[in-house]
Amino acid sequence: MPDIMGMIYAALNSIFNPILALDPNPTNPALTVLIIAFFVSLITTVANKYLVDQDEMNEHQAKMKDLNKRMRDAQKRGDGKELAKIQAEQSEMMKDQTAMMSNQFKPMIVTFVPIILIFFWMRSSAISNLVIILPQTVYWVTLTPLWHALGGFIYGGKATIPFGIGWLLWYMICTFGMSQILRKFLGFKQGF
């Protein structure tokens, strides 16, 4: 029986090792993680763009916002008749919301396996040794001490490099930034 995971890692090595080799600091490949974050963000953003009807989703969110505003106003006025009417509308909207939620899972179905494979590759490659030293303000704004404490609680040990983060948190920061830029570039009306 062929070693499927070995073949997958070999394919990922052939894709990402040249990028890793071009990194100015291959022993601490921050640029490689940034490039991989861009690649993954591009895949997920394009999948969201073409698999989720953004206009329908925005319209549904606007209706829910209007419905919630009307409900708050009716509650302030003490208008029980209007409240009952709004609650009936709300139950209808919940059916639509369930459909919208299942629609939002389409991109995840398409992107989940490739992203997991890329994560496993990053964890088993030289990237797993990455340490980024953040400026103090960025360190505190990104709540890095909280992530360090959580990681220490789950995995044991503690962060030994002041203001340092590992590859996973660096990847998350890069992916968040890249996703926002790509969403703006591709014309998404909402942030997330």
Side-chain angles (χ1 to χ4, degrees):
M1 181 162 195
D3 179 21
I4 294 174
M5 287 308 288
M7 293 186 326
I8 291 172
Y9 281 130
L12 290 173
N13 280 334
S14 67
I15 294 169
F16 293 119
N17 277 347
I19 297 169
L20 191 58
L22 291 175
D23 199 302
N25 189 359
T27 59
N28 202 21
L31 183 61
T32 302
V33 173
L34 180 70
I35 292 169
I36 291 171
F38 173 77
F39 177 68
V40 170
S41 297
L42 182 64
I43 290 170
T44 57
T45 306
V46 168
N48 272 305
K49 175 79 173 174
Y50 292 108
L51 296 176
V52 176
D53 186 352
Q54 298 297 319
D55 293 332
E56 183 181 346
M57 190 173 73
N58 290 336
E59 181 181 321
H60 181 72
Q61 287 175 344
K63 284 181 184 177
M64 282 299 287
K65 189 175 180 180
D66 179 57
L67 190 68
N68 288 335
K69 183 182 180 295
R70 288 179 26 221
M71 181 176 277
R72 280 192 306 274
D73 291 343
Q75 286 173 339
K76 284 179 185 175
R77 290 190 316 265
D79 189 349
K81 191 174 182 181
E82 181 68 19
L83 262 172
K85 179 182 168 189
I86 291 171
Q87 287 172 343
E89 284 181 53
Q90 192 174 31
S91 66
E92 283 296 316
M93 292 282 289
M94 288 301 184
K95 292 176 187 172
D96 292 343
Q97 182 129 3
T98 304
M100 290 302 298
M101 291 295 286
S102 65
N103 193 21
Q104 287 179 318
F105 280 115
K106 286 179 190 175
M108 190 178 81
I109 292 168
V110 172
T111 60
F112 182 73
V113 172
I115 291 172
I116 291 298
L117 293 173
I118 290 170
F119 264 64
F120 281 126
W121 179 85
M122 289 193 323
R123 196 180 96 206
S124 67
S125 71
I127 289 173
S128 65
N129 300 323
L130 174 69
V131 175
I132 300 286
I133 307 300
L134 296 175
Q136 286 187 23
T137 53
V138 175
Y139 178 81
W140 292 105
V141 168
T142 58
L143 303 176
T144 303
L146 175 68
W147 297 113
H148 282 174
L150 184 62
F153 177 74
I154 294 171
Y155 301 111
K158 63 178 187 165
T160 57
I161 299 173
F163 307 111
I165 61 172
W167 71 271
L168 185 57
L169 189 53
W170 176 242
Y171 168 82
M172 290 168 53
I173 291 169
C174 292
T175 303
F176 179 77
M178 292 292 173
S179 293
Q180 295 307 306
I181 292 167
L182 288 168
R183 289 176 76 79
K184 288 288 183 192
F185 182 72
L186 291 174
F188 282 74
K189 292 182 177 84
Q190 304 241 345
F192 295 105

